[in-house]
Amino acid sequence: GERRVVIKYGESVISLPITPTTTPHDLLKSASTSMSGVFDPQQCVLWESFTQLGLERPLRGYEHVRDVLNSWDYDAQNCLVVMPAPANTLSNGDLDPKALPKQPGSTSLYMYHSQKPGKWEKRWVSLKEDGQISISKRQDGSSSSNLCHLSDFDIYKPNQRQMKKLKPPKKICFAIKSQQKSVVFLNGANFVHFFATSDGPLTET
């Protein structure tokens, strides 16, 4: 059957059909001619608004929108929001596949980790070259626990309401959320992980 996604721009809301190959730019072009609000699709990006957890992220230009909807419990659960594209996104193609590194490098950072709102623990968080993320109480990585693999997760920003609920101990807060449906995870465990740090800027991409 036909699948549709809700698009929001300001106070304007519309439901558009999608196919297996529909991209964010396809939807931006369709929405710009159908919505009451006026915007230039070349100067905007679509953000996924995952309302269940108060998370959001910009969609990359090469993503298929149906894959995003497949990570929701049902198509009308969340929506996509039209937002002006940050200047740096348009100039250096941060959301374009040509800008992506071929493979992530291994790194380990000391930051706060949380799986429950308001409960934070400081841990060494390690990202391996194969995309595996693990946490440990020790810098040498001994007795580490695997959290997830980035091939199955994506990076999100908590919205203002969620930030008040999370109460992060540092000003920079982000989340990694599974791209599978939440029902796959028993009791919601490991579906999402929150991190807080004061190191480095938090970009829009």
Side-chain angles (χ1 to χ4, degrees):
E2 182 184 68
R3 299 184 66 179
R4 305 180 71 88
V5 63
V6 174
I7 309 293
K8 293 185 178 181
Y9 177 64
E11 299 298 322
S12 182
V13 180
I14 192 173
S15 176
L16 294 176
I18 63 166
T19 70
T21 58
T22 300
T23 65
H25 190 64
D26 292 334
L27 287 180
L28 284 169
K29 288 193 295 183
S30 297
S32 67
T33 61
S34 305
M35 304 184 81
S36 58
V38 179
F39 63 89
D40 182 355
Q42 298 293 338
Q43 300 295 320
C44 295
V45 294
L46 281 177
W47 281 67
E48 175 189 359
S49 177
F50 195 82
T51 55
Q52 178 185 356
L53 293 173
L55 301 177
E56 54 192 24
R57 72 175 181 94
L59 299 189
R60 304 170 185 88
Y62 55 86
E63 289 189 69
H64 290 148
V65 176
R66 197 179 75 162
D67 293 338
V68 178
L69 267 65
N70 287 343
S71 70
W72 302 350
D73 291 339
Y74 52 94
D75 291 354
Q77 180 185 29
N78 304 297
C79 67
L80 302 179
V81 182
V82 179
M83 299 287 289
N88 65 325
T89 300
L90 296 175
S91 61
N92 62 23
D94 285 342
L95 300 182
D96 188 274
K98 295 179 182 178
L100 297 176
K102 296 296 182 181
Q103 182 175 332
S106 296
T107 186
S108 184
L109 299 170
Y110 198 46
M111 63 176 68
Y112 287 92
H113 169 249
S114 172
Q115 278 189 280
K116 297 180 180 180
K119 183 180 180 181
W120 295 88
E121 297 176 325
K122 208 160 190 184
R123 294 288 186 269
W124 284 98
V125 181
S126 299
L127 170 64
K128 298 180 180 179
E129 290 185 355
D130 62 359
Q132 181 68 52
I133 296 179
S134 60
I135 59 171
S136 175
K137 293 182 179 180
R138 300 181 180 181
Q139 186 174 7
D140 61 10
S142 59
S143 303
S144 63
S145 301
N146 290 333
L147 289 186
C148 64
H149 200 284
L150 279 183
S151 62
D152 302 317
F153 281 65
D154 214 322
I155 302 172
Y156 290 76
K157 288 174 55 179
N159 59 28
Q160 292 183 353
R161 179 179 297 180
Q162 183 70 358
M163 285 286 281
K164 292 179 180 179
K165 183 178 180 181
L166 291 171
K167 300 177 180 178
K170 297 295 182 179
K171 62 180 180 179
I172 298 176
C173 181
F174 63 96
I176 52 175
K177 184 187 74 65
S178 172
Q179 297 305 285
Q180 299 186 61
K181 296 181 185 296
S182 61
V183 293
V184 175
F185 296 82
L186 295 177
N187 302 321
N190 296 318
F191 178 62
V192 62
H193 297 272
F194 296 94
F195 301 90
T197 180
S198 57
D199 298 327
L202 180 62
T203 67
E204 297 297 321
T205 59

